[in-house]
Every structure is written in C-alpha cells, then in structure tokens.
Amino acid sequence: MKLKNILKERAKGISFEFFPPRSAEGKDSFMKVVNTLKRYNPLYVSVTYGASGSTQDRTKNTLTWIKDATDLTVMSHLTCIGATKTSMDVLLRDYINLGIENILALRGDPPRNMPDFDPSIGEFRYAKDLVEFIKKYNYFSIAVAVYPEGHPESPSIEKDMEYTKEKIDAGADFAITQMFFDNRYYYDFIERAEKRGIKIPILPGIMPITDFKKIKEFASFCKATIPKDIEEKMVPLINKQDEMFKLGIEHATKQCADLINNGIEYLHFYTMNKSEAFSTIIDGLGLPSVLT
Ligand code: FAD
C-alpha cells in the first residue's frame, strides 16, 4: 500500500529502518528481528541502499523477503549519485513488477572506499532530481530525508531549508529526519519548515546511543550533535556495555516520550537490524496503546 494513503489513514504510528544483511545466510536472523518488531504494527519498514547502488540487489532481495513473509508495508531507500537515468529506469520497473510502491529518494554520498569515485558520471545531481524522475511513473509514494541541524554540506541552515522545500515541492509525500539527540533541533526544524509552508508529515528519526563510540563517529559524519551531558555520562561507560546500553535506551525513551507529549505522533526508528533496544523503548513508553 502507498504510504501517502497510510499516513492519511493512520494519524499515529512507528516505523523501522533496516539495512540489507551482507549475505543470504543472514536471512533467518534478519527475519527474526523483523518478526519481533512486527508486533508493533509499524506503518512501514524500510531498507537502506548502499552508497552509489552498492547494495542494489541486496536491498531488493531484502524487501522481497519481507514482502513474501509478512504483510508489512515496505519502503526502499534509493540513492541517485552516480546513477544514470537508464539504470534508474530498469530498477524502478523492477520495483513496479515486485509491487514495491514506496521510495525514500536520496542523493547519497560518494562511497567512502572509492576515493576515485566520480559523481559527475551520474545524471542526477540532487535528491530533488530523483524525486522528479520517480514522480513521472505515477506509481510510487515518495519520501525524502531532512536534516534538523542542517545537512553537513550546506552553507547555512537557511539555504538548507530552501533546498529542502524545493525537494519536497518536487513531489514528496513525507520526510524522515536525520538522527538527532536533542529534541530542540527537531522542534526548531518543524517551526522553520512550517514558516516556509512545508505541510507534509516529518517523521523524527530516533537512534538510541547503545554503542557510544560507533554512534559518536557516525553522528559527527552526519552533523548530529550528542549533548554534552549525555557524552559525559557515556564516556566512563565505554567498557561497560550493559550500562551504556541501559543509558542509551533511557535517553531515547525520554526523547520519544517528550516528542509524544508535544503532539508528535509518528516515530521512525533506526534499528541497525537489532530489536532489543526498540522493544524496550516501545514497551517502556506503553506505545502499543499510545502510537500503534
Ligand atoms: P540532497 O537533498 O540532494 O542534499 C544534498 C546536499 O545538497 C545538501 O547539502 C543540500 O542542502 C544541497 N542541495 C540540495 N539542492 C541543492 C541545489 N539546488 N543547489 C545547491 N545545493 C543543493 N544514504 C545512503 O547511501 N543510503 C541510504 O539508504 C540512506 N538512507 C538515509 C535515510 C535517512 C532518513 C537520512 C536522513 C539519510 C540517509 N542517507 C542514506 C544519507 C544521505 O544519502 C546523505 O545524507 C546525503 O549526503 C544527502 O542525501 P539527500 O538525499 O539529503 O541529498
């Protein structure tokens, strides 16, 4: 089902983001995680797409596993950097044949392990170009990524909002935010977006800090600030994984509770293909009755 319609029908709900397992051998453990989280009746589950199409087949296969084994609504992430219109057309036709109706349209980043990668070989410059391209098929519901603290390459937060508005106006039905660890960034973004006349749902992206070192590295690459007080509590726990996990869950639970108390009724969880943290957060919030 198209997410555009699901979001109209359901005023609240959660979603889960996964990445494709490295090999087909990972299918069973991956599907176990999906099946565990399925009980929260998510709006959709999404599967990421590796830089410059490096996981194209794996993303497609993973979406197919989920579709075949469950009744969950799926969404494919799709990046366009380095892609040609012909290659994109082949993939989108494949998606139509497979009944994959929802796409998170992204520019993507040059692959980090390919320093010689030349993005100019591609025929898409920005995510907006991909949104326009996908829109022409008149088949897909389209989402885009947005950045509460601004995209790392943006010259200013104002310019970033200007480009965000253009990208949404090109045909996005909803947006998902980059992870953030202080809700004030999200509230500020929503206020600025509303002032710009952006009216689509903007789902907050929640990433619990269950592995501080890893998430700190990722967060600085994405320009997502980890608040000082959280960092100070996390650093002494670097070698105390259980305590760190507990603290990370506590912080994410507080974040979600605050969002819900402020009337935000959709939450997007970055799962990293693990279920435990999310079951704890959702159960802790009593979400089955609040949001699902
Ligand atoms: P764009 O919207 O194209 O923006 C990229 C930059 O260009 C920004 O700085 C923007 O301000 C600027 N810009 C836009 N339009 C213009 C213009 N007209 N003129 C000048 N500058 C402009 N990456 C993956 O590889 N795979 C994934 O599956 C994936 N999933 C993601 C999911 C979410 C929810 C989020 C938030 C990010 C995800 N990413 C993923 C990361 C994403 O690909 C990167 O953040 C990438 O750097 C930007 O992609 P974008 O679609 O936001 O790009």
Coordinates of all heavy atoms in Angstrom, one line a residue, residues 104-157:
L104 N 12.2 6.1 -0.5 CA 12.9 7.2 0.1 C 13.9 7.7 -0.9 O 14.9 7.0 -1.1 CB 13.5 6.8 1.4 CG 14.4 7.8 2.2 CD1 13.6 9.1 2.5 CD2 14.9 7.3 3.5
A105 N 13.7 8.8 -1.5 CA 14.6 9.3 -2.6 C 15.7 10.1 -2.0 O 15.5 11.1 -1.4 CB 13.7 10.1 -3.6
L106 N 16.9 9.6 -2.3 CA 18.1 10.3 -1.7 C 19.2 10.6 -2.8 O 19.2 9.9 -3.8 CB 18.7 9.3 -0.7 CG 17.9 8.9 0.5 CD1 18.3 7.4 0.9 CD2 18.0 9.8 1.6
R107 N 20.0 11.6 -2.5 CA 21.1 11.8 -3.3 C 22.2 10.7 -3.0 O 22.8 10.1 -3.9 CB 21.7 13.2 -3.1 CG 22.9 13.4 -4.0 CD 23.8 14.6 -3.5 NE 24.5 14.2 -2.3 CZ 25.3 15.0 -1.7 NH1 25.6 16.2 -2.2 NH2 25.9 14.6 -0.6
G108 N 22.4 10.5 -1.7 CA 23.5 9.6 -1.3 C 24.8 10.3 -1.2 O 24.9 11.5 -1.5
D109 N 25.9 9.6 -0.8 CA 27.2 10.1 -0.7 C 28.2 9.3 -1.6 O 27.9 8.1 -1.8 CB 27.7 10.0 0.7 CG 26.9 10.9 1.6 OD1 26.8 12.1 1.3 OD2 26.3 10.4 2.6
P110 N 29.3 9.8 -2.0 CA 30.2 9.0 -2.7 C 30.7 7.9 -1.8 O 30.9 8.1 -0.6 CB 31.4 10.0 -3.0 CG 30.8 11.3 -2.9 CD 29.7 11.2 -1.9
P111 N 30.9 6.7 -2.4 CA 31.3 5.6 -1.5 C 32.7 5.9 -0.8 O 33.6 6.4 -1.5 CB 31.5 4.4 -2.4 CG 31.0 4.8 -3.8 CD 30.8 6.3 -3.8
R112 N 32.8 5.7 0.5 CA 34.0 6.1 1.2 C 35.2 5.2 0.8 O 36.3 5.7 1.0 CB 33.7 6.0 2.7 CG 33.0 7.2 3.3 CD 33.0 7.2 4.8 NE 31.7 6.9 5.3 CZ 31.3 6.8 6.5 NH1 32.2 7.1 7.5 NH2 30.1 6.5 6.9
N113 N 34.9 4.0 0.4 CA 36.1 3.1 0.0 C 36.5 3.3 -1.5 O 37.2 2.5 -2.0 CB 35.7 1.7 0.3 CG 34.5 1.2 -0.5 OD1 33.8 2.1 -1.1 ND2 34.2 0.0 -0.4
M114 N 35.9 4.3 -2.1 CA 36.3 4.6 -3.6 C 36.7 6.0 -3.7 O 35.9 6.9 -4.2 CB 35.1 4.2 -4.5 CG 34.8 2.8 -4.6 SD 33.2 2.4 -5.4 CE 33.5 3.0 -7.0
P115 N 37.9 6.4 -3.4 CA 38.3 7.8 -3.4 C 38.3 8.4 -4.8 O 38.2 9.6 -5.0 CB 39.8 7.8 -2.9 CG 40.2 6.3 -2.8 CD 39.0 5.5 -2.8
D116 N 38.4 7.5 -5.9 CA 38.4 8.0 -7.2 C 37.0 8.1 -7.8 O 36.8 8.4 -9.0 CB 39.2 7.0 -8.1 CG 40.6 6.9 -7.7 OD1 41.1 8.0 -7.1 OD2 41.3 5.9 -7.9
F117 N 36.0 7.8 -7.0 CA 34.6 7.9 -7.5 C 34.3 9.2 -8.1 O 34.5 10.3 -7.4 CB 33.6 7.5 -6.3 CG 32.2 7.6 -6.7 CD1 31.6 6.5 -7.4 CD2 31.4 8.7 -6.5 CE1 30.3 6.5 -7.7 CE2 30.1 8.7 -6.8 CZ 29.5 7.6 -7.5
D118 N 33.7 9.2 -9.3 CA 33.4 10.5 -9.9 C 31.9 10.7 -10.0 O 31.3 10.1 -10.9 CB 34.1 10.5 -11.4 CG 33.7 11.7 -12.2 OD1 33.1 12.6 -11.6 OD2 34.0 11.7 -13.4
P119 N 31.3 11.5 -9.2 CA 29.9 11.7 -9.2 C 29.3 12.2 -10.5 O 28.2 12.1 -10.8 CB 29.6 12.6 -8.0 CG 30.9 13.2 -7.6 CD 32.0 12.4 -8.2
S120 N 30.2 12.9 -11.2 CA 29.7 13.6 -12.5 C 29.4 12.6 -13.6 O 28.8 12.9 -14.6 CB 30.8 14.6 -13.0 OG 31.9 13.8 -13.4
I121 N 29.7 11.3 -13.4 CA 29.3 10.3 -14.4 C 27.8 10.0 -14.3 O 27.2 9.5 -15.2 CB 30.0 8.9 -14.2 CG1 29.8 8.4 -12.7 CG2 31.5 8.9 -14.6 CD1 30.2 6.9 -12.5
G122 N 27.2 10.4 -13.2 CA 25.8 10.2 -13.0 C 25.0 11.3 -13.6 O 25.5 12.4 -14.0
E123 N 23.7 11.0 -13.8 CA 22.8 12.0 -14.4 C 21.8 12.7 -13.5 O 20.9 13.3 -13.9 CB 22.0 11.3 -15.6 CG 22.9 10.8 -16.7 CD 22.2 10.0 -17.8 OE1 21.2 9.4 -17.5 OE2 22.7 10.0 -18.9
F124 N 22.1 12.5 -12.2 CA 21.3 13.1 -11.1 C 22.2 13.9 -10.2 O 23.2 13.4 -9.8 CB 20.5 12.1 -10.3 CG 19.6 11.2 -11.0 CD1 20.0 10.0 -11.6 CD2 18.2 11.5 -11.1 CE1 19.2 9.2 -12.3 CE2 17.4 10.7 -11.8 CZ 17.8 9.5 -12.4
R125 N 21.8 15.1 -9.9 CA 22.7 15.9 -9.1 C 22.3 15.9 -7.6 O 23.1 15.8 -6.7 CB 22.8 17.3 -9.6 CG 23.8 18.2 -8.9 CD 24.5 19.1 -9.9 NE 25.6 19.8 -9.1 CZ 25.9 21.0 -9.3 NH1 25.3 21.7 -10.3 NH2 26.9 21.6 -8.6
Y126 N 21.0 16.1 -7.4 CA 20.5 16.2 -6.1 C 19.3 15.2 -6.0 O 18.7 14.8 -7.0 CB 20.0 17.6 -5.8 CG 21.1 18.6 -5.8 CD1 21.1 19.6 -6.8 CD2 22.1 18.6 -4.9 CE1 22.2 20.5 -6.9 CE2 23.2 19.5 -4.9 CZ 23.2 20.5 -6.0 OH 24.2 21.4 -6.0
A127 N 18.9 15.0 -4.7 CA 17.7 14.1 -4.4 C 16.5 14.7 -5.2 O 15.7 13.9 -5.6 CB 17.5 14.1 -2.9
K128 N 16.4 16.0 -5.3 CA 15.2 16.6 -6.0 C 15.1 16.1 -7.4 O 14.0 15.8 -7.9 CB 15.5 18.1 -6.0 CG 14.4 18.9 -6.7 CD 14.8 20.3 -6.8 CE 14.0 21.0 -7.9 NZ 14.8 22.0 -8.6
D129 N 16.2 15.9 -8.1 CA 16.2 15.3 -9.4 C 15.6 13.9 -9.5 O 14.9 13.5 -10.4 CB 17.6 15.3 -10.1 CG 18.3 16.6 -10.0 OD1 17.6 17.6 -10.1 OD2 19.5 16.7 -9.9
L130 N 15.9 13.2 -8.4 CA 15.4 11.8 -8.3 C 13.9 11.8 -8.0 O 13.1 11.0 -8.6 CB 16.2 11.0 -7.2 CG 15.7 9.5 -7.1 CD1 15.9 8.7 -8.3 CD2 16.5 8.9 -5.9
V131 N 13.5 12.7 -7.1 CA 12.1 12.8 -6.8 C 11.3 13.1 -8.1 O 10.3 12.5 -8.4 CB 11.8 14.0 -5.8 CG1 10.3 14.2 -5.6 CG2 12.5 13.6 -4.4
E132 N 11.8 14.1 -8.9 CA 11.1 14.4 -10.2 C 11.1 13.2 -11.1 O 10.0 13.0 -11.7 CB 11.9 15.6 -10.8 CG 11.6 16.9 -10.2 CD 12.5 18.0 -10.7 OE1 13.5 17.8 -11.4 OE2 12.3 19.2 -10.2
F133 N 12.2 12.5 -11.1 CA 12.2 11.3 -12.0 C 11.2 10.3 -11.6 O 10.5 9.7 -12.4 CB 13.7 10.8 -12.0 CG 13.9 9.7 -13.0 CD1 14.2 10.1 -14.4 CD2 13.9 8.4 -12.7 CE1 14.5 9.1 -15.3 CE2 14.2 7.4 -13.6 CZ 14.5 7.8 -14.9
I134 N 11.2 10.0 -10.3 CA 10.3 8.9 -9.8 C 8.8 9.3 -10.0 O 8.0 8.5 -10.3 CB 10.6 8.6 -8.3 CG1 12.0 8.1 -8.1 CG2 9.6 7.6 -7.7 CD1 12.5 8.0 -6.7
K135 N 8.6 10.6 -9.8 CA 7.2 11.1 -9.8 C 6.6 10.8 -11.2 O 5.4 10.5 -11.3 CB 7.3 12.6 -9.6 CG 6.0 13.3 -9.4 CD 5.6 13.3 -7.9 CE 4.2 13.8 -7.8 NZ 3.6 13.3 -6.6
K136 N 7.4 10.8 -12.2 CA 6.8 10.6 -13.6 C 6.2 9.2 -13.8 O 5.4 9.1 -14.7 CB 8.0 10.8 -14.6 CG 8.4 12.2 -14.8 CD 9.3 12.4 -16.0 CE 10.0 13.7 -16.0 NZ 11.5 13.5 -16.3
Y137 N 6.6 8.3 -13.0 CA 6.0 6.9 -13.1 C 4.5 6.9 -12.6 O 3.8 5.9 -12.9 CB 6.9 5.9 -12.4 CG 8.2 5.7 -13.1 CD1 9.2 6.6 -12.9 CD2 8.4 4.6 -13.8 CE1 10.4 6.5 -13.6 CE2 9.6 4.4 -14.5 CZ 10.6 5.3 -14.3 OH 11.8 5.2 -15.0
N138 N 4.2 7.9 -11.8 CA 2.8 8.0 -11.3 C 2.4 6.7 -10.6 O 1.3 6.2 -10.7 CB 1.9 8.2 -12.5 CG 0.6 8.9 -12.0 OD1 0.5 9.3 -10.8 ND2 -0.5 8.8 -12.8
Y139 N 3.4 6.1 -9.9 CA 3.1 4.8 -9.2 C 3.6 4.8 -7.8 O 2.9 4.2 -6.9 CB 3.9 3.7 -10.0 CG 3.8 2.3 -9.3 CD1 2.7 1.5 -9.6 CD2 4.8 1.9 -8.5 CE1 2.6 0.3 -9.0 CE2 4.8 0.6 -7.9 CZ 3.7 -0.2 -8.1 OH 3.6 -1.4 -7.5
F140 N 4.6 5.6 -7.5 CA 5.3 5.5 -6.2 C 4.8 6.6 -5.2 O 4.5 7.7 -5.6 CB 6.8 5.6 -6.3 CG 7.4 4.5 -7.1 CD1 7.7 4.7 -8.5 CD2 7.6 3.3 -6.6 CE1 8.3 3.7 -9.3 CE2 8.2 2.3 -7.4 CZ 8.5 2.5 -8.7
S141 N 4.8 6.2 -3.9 CA 4.7 7.3 -2.9 C 6.2 7.6 -2.5 O 7.0 6.7 -2.3 CB 4.0 6.7 -1.7 OG 3.8 7.7 -0.7
I142 N 6.5 8.9 -2.4 CA 7.9 9.3 -2.3 C 8.1 10.0 -0.9 O 7.4 10.9 -0.5 CB 8.3 10.2 -3.4 CG1 8.0 9.6 -4.8 CG2 9.8 10.6 -3.3 CD1 8.1 10.5 -6.0
A143 N 9.3 9.6 -0.3 CA 9.7 10.3 0.9 C 11.1 10.9 0.6 O 11.8 10.5 -0.3 CB 9.8 9.3 2.1
V144 N 11.5 11.9 1.5 CA 12.8 12.4 1.3 C 13.4 12.6 2.7 O 12.7 12.5 3.8 CB 12.8 13.8 0.7 CG1 12.5 13.7 -0.8 CG2 11.8 14.8 1.4
A145 N 14.7 12.8 2.8 CA 15.5 13.0 4.0 C 15.6 14.4 4.3 O 15.8 15.3 3.4 CB 16.9 12.3 3.9
V146 N 15.5 14.8 5.6 CA 15.7 16.2 6.0 C 16.6 16.2 7.3 O 16.7 15.2 8.0 CB 14.3 16.9 6.3 CG1 13.5 17.0 5.1 CG2 13.5 16.2 7.4
Y147 N 17.1 17.4 7.5 CA 18.2 17.5 8.5 C 18.0 18.6 9.5 O 18.2 19.8 9.3 CB 19.5 17.8 7.7 CG 19.8 16.7 6.7 CD1 19.2 16.7 5.4 CD2 20.6 15.6 7.0 CE1 19.4 15.7 4.5 CE2 20.7 14.5 6.1 CZ 20.1 14.6 4.9 OH 20.3 13.6 4.0
P148 N 17.5 18.2 10.7 CA 17.2 19.2 11.8 C 18.4 20.1 12.0 O 18.2 21.3 12.3 CB 16.9 18.4 13.0 CG 16.4 17.1 12.4 CD 17.2 16.8 11.2
E149 N 19.6 19.7 12.0 CA 20.8 20.5 12.2 C 21.4 21.0 10.9 O 22.5 21.6 11.0 CB 21.8 19.8 13.1 CG 21.3 19.4 14.5 CD 22.3 18.7 15.3 OE1 23.4 19.2 15.6 OE2 22.0 17.5 15.8
G150 N 20.7 20.8 9.8 CA 21.3 21.2 8.5 C 22.1 20.1 8.0 O 22.8 19.3 8.7
H151 N 22.1 19.9 6.6 CA 23.0 18.9 6.0 C 24.4 19.3 6.1 O 24.7 20.5 6.0 CB 22.5 18.7 4.5 CG 23.3 17.6 3.8 ND1 24.5 17.9 3.1 CD2 23.1 16.3 3.8 CE1 24.9 16.7 2.7 NE2 24.1 15.8 3.0
P152 N 25.4 18.4 6.4 CA 26.8 18.8 6.6 C 27.4 19.6 5.4 O 28.3 20.4 5.7 CB 27.5 17.4 6.7 CG 26.5 16.4 6.9 CD 25.1 17.0 6.5
E153 N 26.9 19.5 4.2 CA 27.5 20.2 3.1 C 26.8 21.6 2.9 O 27.3 22.4 2.1 CB 27.3 19.5 1.8 CG 28.2 18.2 1.7 CD 27.7 17.3 0.5 OE1 27.2 17.8 -0.5 OE2 27.7 16.1 0.7
S154 N 25.8 21.9 3.6 CA 25.0 23.1 3.4 C 25.8 24.3 3.9 O 26.4 24.3 5.0 CB 23.7 23.1 4.1 OG 22.8 22.3 3.4
P155 N 25.8 25.4 3.1 CA 26.5 26.6 3.5 C 25.8 27.3 4.7 O 26.4 27.9 5.5 CB 26.4 27.5 2.3 CG 25.3 27.0 1.4 CD 25.2 25.5 1.7
S156 N 24.5 27.1 4.9 CA 23.8 27.6 6.0 C 22.5 26.9 6.2 O 22.0 26.2 5.3 CB 23.4 29.1 5.8 OG 22.4 29.2 4.8
I157 N 21.9 27.0 7.4 CA 20.7 26.3 7.7 C 19.5 26.9 6.9 O 18.6 26.2 6.5 CB 20.5 26.4 9.3 CG1 19.7 25.2 9.8 CG2 19.9 27.7 9.7 CD1 20.1 24.8 11.2

